[in-house]
Amino acid sequence: MIEGKISRISGPIVYAEGLDGAGLYDVVRVGGKSIMGEIIRQKEGLATIQVYEDDTGMHIGEKIICTERPLSLRLGPGLVGTIYDGIQRPLKSMYEKEGAFLKPGQVTEPLDEEKKWEFTPVVKEGDSVGPGFVLGTVQETASINHKIMVPPSLSGRFVKSIAKKGEYTINDVIAVTELDEEITMSQYWPVRIPRPYKQKMMVTEPLITGQRVIDVFFPLSKGGTAAIPGGFGTGKTMTQHAIAKWCDADLIVYIGCGERGNEMTDVLTEFPSLIDPRTGRSLMERTILIANTSNMPVAAREVSLYAGITLAEYYRDMGMHVAIMADSTSRWAEALRELSGRMEEMPAEEGFPAYLATRLAEFYERAGLVKSLCNGTGSVSVIGAVSPAGGDFSEPVTQHTKRFIRCFWALDRDLANARHYPAIGWIESYSEYADEVKNWWDKLDARWATVRQEALDLLKKEQRLEQIVRLIGPDALPDGQRLILTVAEMIKNGFLQQNAFDEIDVYSVPDKQIQILVLMMDFYKRALEVISEGAPLLKIISLPVREEIVRLKTSVPNDKLEQIQTVRTHLNQQMLEVERLYNKVGAV
Ligand SMILES: Nc1ncnc2c1ncn2[C@@H]1O[C@H](COP(=O)(O)OP(=O)(O)OP(=O)(O)O)[C@@H](O)[C@H]1O
Ligand SMILES: [Mg+2]
């Protein structure tokens, strides 16, 4: 056993002597309270340790014991539906055991060791296996079929024995290899090391979120990376929640990282009562939460991101599509800054350590669509909120994040002030996945790519016209250009704005999204024709169908899309009437 003692304390950073034999990133138990920490630097006989719990009252000279193991998560059935802190302590069972206040040094098993799970083997004795091979399954929740896999570190290549179908705890041995390695239904994995896979693949499929501005304009792929930067109160959390609730991932890992406690409470109170539209069951049955609110120790916040992504990778390895949300990566970067400051490292931009960019890259690079060790296809999509102070996107966290993500949903202060939600600005935001997901959309509705580009172009034109209007007023513009302003308004109100509190509008199926936008662009094209034939813009603006199109988002439920056809008929009829009227006038 390697044992040392505390020689200096600086907030969450503790220095220790006598830990020479301990490895970098080994977990240690610090002081009489035995609180958990991790060795983050070894230099000249002095180990630097970041502690994950409150070390108030700790003294120099107290002992430190090294566990000789890196910080690892316990992975197995029972993770889904649980709420953990950054070091995988299950908050609910700790609360039930010890009350509302976490005691330093408190150790609780992350997974229930008593609970029996129904295990169904899929291999038999003598079958050849390898790391990541599936040995059997457990129905973890109604929506999650948990695959019990051979841990990546095992060397055995044959199944010597395998448990029969039946009930087992996570500590029971369910398989033995020819090398007499025993396999249970749980395994450990060090959080800072990406889990292995066979091959990274090109992304092809969008992660459908039901949010029109995202799915149509700035799509994220399954296995992609996105950032949501936005100033205070612009809707980062609401957007993350909307995606967590509605996206078509198999599993959600939601990390509340350094944000206010009540935001986590919202998730906790809301998710269990919400129904997953795909399974008809509670959303918690496909969600894992990691809570590290602003009042919890900063070191645990630093590690919570790695814990979250490790959980995501574990389910990815089973062949699932996992979406992970981190709210907010800026608070995480602030934890890095605080720890780095305590360690008296040389600060770089705005006091952040020079390795901020590397750490962000390490996090986002763990996203991807992969062929797993057992030849399944799974993905981890990462969505990080960024909260730049004062909404200034030129600060280091936003700028570095931009280098590693391919989808940028920029929240716009003016839109939020105007209560245009989601406040994702269409000029500054972008997605580099549009080409990759085009094939998927083509199969659903081949008009996606064209109508998307037309609508984005129209919105760009509108932005330029708005500048002219500000200078000389709208009356100076010809009708054709004023029509652009009108249609842009329709797109903003009837397509981009989406009310999270409206029963119908909260989620749009892809079909509905595309049909609404196509109808708006058809309105534009028909109106342009009619105007060129002499009809005044005012006449077109006053057509009842214009309002009808804008209202489609809330008037047509996802399962009654045929109603959109009626509105299309109205569009044709009303435009035809105007045309007749003005053609006749012209003929007289
Ligand atoms: N899609 C939406 N539909 C309706 N209201 C919204 C939507 N998005 C945001 N809002 C409104 O904006 C408010 C602030 O949103 P939110 O808490 O998500 O912002 P935030 O960017 O996470 O803020 P903070 O910087 O404090 O974390 C919400 O309470 C809600 O009233
Ligand atoms: Mg927030």
Side-chain angles (χ1 to χ4, degrees):
M1 190 173 68
I2 302 172
E3 198 179 310
K5 62 178 199 303
I6 301 179
S7 61
R8 200 178 135 202
I9 304 171
S10 169
I13 297 290
V14 169
Y15 297 88
E17 289 163 358
L19 290 177
D20 299 358
L24 194 61
Y25 294 120
D26 274 0
V27 170
V28 290
R29 289 280 167 188
V30 182
K33 289 184 196 155
S34 186
I35 70 177
M36 198 167 157
E38 191 184 13
I39 299 177
I40 52 172
R41 192 165 62 188
Q42 279 280 30
K43 199 177 167 189
E44 292 156 12
L46 202 64
T48 310
I49 295 162
Q50 61 178 12
V51 293
Y52 292 122
E53 300 169 70
D54 186 9
D55 59 359
T56 312
M58 197 157 277
H59 300 286
I60 289 174
E62 284 188 56
K63 71 169 186 220
I64 297 186
I65 295 169
C66 179
T67 62
E68 293 172 57
R69 211 176 69 179
L71 183 66
S72 305
L73 295 191
R74 188 162 193 195
L75 304 167
L79 292 166
V80 177
T82 311
I83 163 161
Y84 291 110
D85 72 353
I87 47 175
Q88 214 198 4
R89 293 188 299 178
L91 295 175
K92 189 155 171 272
S93 39
M94 281 167 76
Y95 169 75
E96 281 159 7
K97 260 198 237 155
E98 306 273 347
F101 295 97
L102 295 184
K103 291 191 187 64
Q106 195 174 330
V107 184
T108 308
E109 267 304 319
L111 296 171
D112 188 343
E113 294 189 303
E114 320 266 283
K115 188 176 161 105
K116 295 209 159 182
W117 299 92
E118 174 84 17
F119 171 76
T120 311
V122 296
V123 295
K124 26 181 220 317
E125 274 168 32
D127 278 0
S128 70
V129 290
F133 273 55
V134 180
L135 298 169
T137 60
V138 164
Q139 197 64 41
E140 185 174 359
T141 68
S143 41
I144 301 289
N145 188 248
H146 193 118
K147 297 197 166 67
I148 306 297
M149 299 172 288
V150 177
S153 54
L154 252 52
S155 326
R157 289 294 176 267
F158 291 99
V159 179
K160 185 169 158 191
S161 71
I162 177 86
K164 287 197 207 53
K165 184 178 167 71
E167 297 207 320
Y168 302 91
T169 70
I170 54 164
N171 289 333
D172 292 333
V173 174
I174 50 107
V176 179
T177 70
E178 87 282 9
L179 302 176
D180 286 328
E181 293 160 315
E182 294 186 333
I183 302 174
T184 65
M185 291 202 281
S186 78
Q187 52 174 278
Y188 289 89
W189 189 261
V191 294
R192 294 187 193 274
I193 299 178
R195 283 177 64 86
Y197 49 80
K198 215 171 231 171
Q199 191 191 346
K200 221 168 209 175
M201 298 192 291
M202 285 280 289
V203 297
T204 51
E205 224 183 273
L207 181 83
I208 293 298
T209 64
Q211 312 302 305
R212 293 181 293 266
V213 59
I214 293 178
D215 293 346
V216 175
F217 279 2
F218 310 112
L220 173 63
S221 70
K222 290 203 172 89
T225 46
I228 315 180
F232 174 72
T234 46
K236 297 177 291 294
T237 304
M238 288 286 281
T239 309
Q240 297 252 32
H241 284 195
I243 299 172
K245 285 178 206 163
W246 299 108
C247 80
D248 64 345
D250 300 309
L251 184 87
I252 305 292
V253 179
Y254 193 97
I255 313 171
C257 183
E259 291 293 295
R260 293 180 302 273
N262 59 349
E263 297 196 340
M264 250 4 243
T265 322
D266 284 351
V267 179
L268 287 178
T269 50
E270 212 182 336
F271 275 37
S273 61
L274 282 170
I275 300 299
D276 179 353
R278 296 185 308 160
T279 54
R281 310 279 303 213
S282 155
L283 264 184
M284 276 314 276
E285 296 193 11
R286 66 153 200 184
T287 308
I288 306 176
L289 295 173
I290 297 185
N292 261 95
T293 49
S294 46
N295 56 346
M296 290 161 97
V298 285
R301 187 192 305 171
E302 191 267 335
V303 84
S304 65
L305 238 60
Y306 302 103
I309 202 124
T310 304
L311 290 172
E313 286 174 342
Y314 175 62
Y315 282 89
R316 170 204 71 189
D317 293 346
M318 297 176 203
M320 289 187 202
H321 295 291
V322 186
I324 160 167
M325 271 130 244
D327 189 10
S328 129
T329 57
S330 297
R331 306 279 164 261
W332 169 81
E334 282 161 17
L336 276 190
R337 175 162 67 187
E338 176 166 348
L339 294 166
S340 162
R342 298 269 188 192
M343 286 159 66
E344 292 153 23
E345 290 173 337
M346 181 80 79
E349 310 138 281
E350 294 193 16
F352 288 107
Y355 47 79
L356 170 68
T358 329
R359 293 288 177 84
L360 278 169
E362 277 167 8
F363 173 62
Y364 284 107
E365 272 165 12
R366 286 173 78 170
L369 178 74
V370 306
K371 182 174 271 186
S372 68
L373 294 177
C374 63
N375 287 326
T377 305
S379 69
V380 174
S381 315
V382 178
I383 302 158
V386 188
S387 356
D392 170 16
F393 290 176
S394 66
E395 58 84 46
V397 183
T398 319
Q399 283 306 314
H400 288 308
T401 302
K402 250 181 147 168
R403 293 164 49 196
F404 312 119
I405 50 98
R406 294 184 59 203
C407 207
F408 193 68
W409 299 323
L411 298 183
D412 185 309
R413 162 69 54 203
D414 292 337
L415 291 178
N417 286 347
R419 303 202 61 76
H420 173 120
Y421 292 118
I424 297 177
W426 46 90
I427 302 293
E428 216 173 334
S429 302
Y430 60 84
S431 163
E432 292 173 5
Y433 296 111
D435 288 340
E436 273 113 325
V437 302
K438 182 177 175 297
N439 264 340
W440 183 92
W441 275 98
D442 279 349
K443 281 186 211 127
L444 183 82
D445 191 325
R447 297 171 297 182
W448 177 77
T450 334
V451 79
R452 167 179 188 269
Q453 202 50 55
E454 285 173 357
L456 278 170
D457 289 346
L458 186 128
L459 288 168
K460 282 208 187 91
K461 277 188 202 148
E462 185 241 14
Q463 201 210 16
R464 282 198 295 274
L465 290 174
E466 278 297 345
Q467 287 167 357
I468 302 176
V469 168
R470 247 174 267 138
L471 288 174
I472 55 174
D475 296 340
L477 296 178
D479 274 3
Q481 292 190 342
R482 279 165 63 198
L483 176 67
I484 293 179
L485 302 185
T486 305
V487 178
E489 212 52 38
M490 289 169 72
I491 297 177
K492 285 188 233 169
N493 297 336
F495 185 79
L496 295 173
Q497 272 193 40
Q498 193 162 350
N499 186 351
F501 302 110
D502 181 277
E503 208 182 314
I504 295 180
D505 198 24
V506 63
Y507 176 85
S508 278
V509 290
D511 245 338
K512 177 174 169 182
Q513 305 187 14
I514 208 72
Q515 289 195 40
I516 294 180
L517 196 60
V518 165
L519 204 53
M520 288 178 173
M521 293 312 291
D522 283 351
F523 177 93
Y524 173 62
K525 288 170 205 162
R526 281 295 282 138
L528 212 54
E529 283 169 17
V530 178
I531 287 174
S532 71
E533 286 164 16
L537 177 68
L538 262 179
K539 185 75 198 164
I540 288 160
I541 293 180
S542 60
L543 292 178
V545 73
R546 188 178 65 89
E547 262 302 302
E548 234 183 322
I549 295 175
V550 173
R551 275 200 313 269
L552 279 175
K553 62 173 189 177
T554 46
S555 64
V556 174
N558 286 315
D559 56 355
K560 300 219 166 52
L561 296 187
E562 64 284 357
Q563 291 176 5
I564 297 180
Q565 207 43 49
T566 323
V567 182
R568 174 166 289 285
T569 317
H570 292 169
L571 173 69
N572 291 339
Q573 285 168 347
Q574 291 175 24
M575 286 289 183
L576 217 59
E577 261 167 49
V578 182
E579 215 165 29
R580 271 198 214 112
L581 193 64
Y582 286 90
N583 267 343
K584 221 186 281 163
V585 174
V588 169

